[in-house]
Amino acid sequence: MSSKTQFSRIERQLQLEASFGQLGAKLTLVAGYAQANLAAQHDYPRGPAKQCYRNAAQLAMDFPELTYVEGIAQGGSILIPHAWCIDEDGRVVEATWPETGNAYWGAAYDTEFLIFWILKQKVWGVLHEVVAAELFTYLPERMFVRLEGDKLKQVQSLFAEARQALDLTEWADF
């Protein structure tokens, strides 16, 4: 399967989940991007199986040249919510799976925000089955990295819509 086909499959999955009102999927779709630059071999430690959010967050905290990314990855033929890192060149650094996946689509989070959010929520990762409404009280330009131009404007618009829908009137800061 070509990477274009794999990415369109992930994008369709995110669109479907977003159409059912899943804010995490909508946020990943808008703030994220397809990551085709895979670094199959790397010297960073991989963590225990089934702990991708913890493993990727720990890598990003331990190695400042890495950035935490959360979204959907394709491993074999299945799509799965997943977390990984990217290096300074945007190459995927798999933190959990023994082999790099076939395709990745995710949003890159600022490490300072990631640490703040994990400590506040007491859960590894940013997005969960139910995205905390509080997430939308933060400024997206402080939460995400690698967002510029139209993509940043789309995320800011999504945050404004979510704040209005959730009746959030206060801004938070970290």
Side-chain angles (χ1 to χ4, degrees), residues 8-18 25 72 79:
S8 62
R9 184 172 172 226
I10 293 173
E11 186 175 20
R12 283 192 312 273
Q13 179 68 31
L14 287 168
Q15 288 170 340
L16 176 65
E17 291 174 11
I72 292 182
L79 299 179

Side-chain angles (χ1 to χ4, degrees), residues 152-170:
L152 177 58
K153 288 177 186 173
Q154 289 175 335
V155 173
Q156 288 169 330
S157 177
L158 173 62
F159 269 59
E161 290 171 23
R163 283 192 295 275
Q164 185 175 14
L166 297 167
D167 198 28
L168 300 171
T169 55
E170 295 183 24

Side-chain angles (χ1 to χ4, degrees), residues 33 35 37 39 41-47 52 54-70 83-96 107-115 143-146:
Y33 51 94
Q35 297 172 342
N37 196 0
Q41 300 297 322
H42 61 76
D43 294 328
Y44 297 103
R46 293 181 198 243
C52 64
R54 178 188 174 278
N55 297 340
Q58 197 65 58
L59 262 186
M61 288 185 270
D62 291 347
F63 299 94
E65 70 274 15
L66 298 180
T67 301
Y68 176 87
V69 181
E70 196 169 312
W84 59 94
C85 289
I86 53 174
D87 65 16
E88 293 167 323
D89 296 323
R91 291 181 302 224
V92 170
V93 175
E94 180 55 60
T96 305
Y109 290 87
D110 175 81
T111 303
E112 185 179 333
F113 176 79
L114 175 68
I115 293 167
M143 292 173 53
F144 299 102
V145 296
R146 299 180 180 238

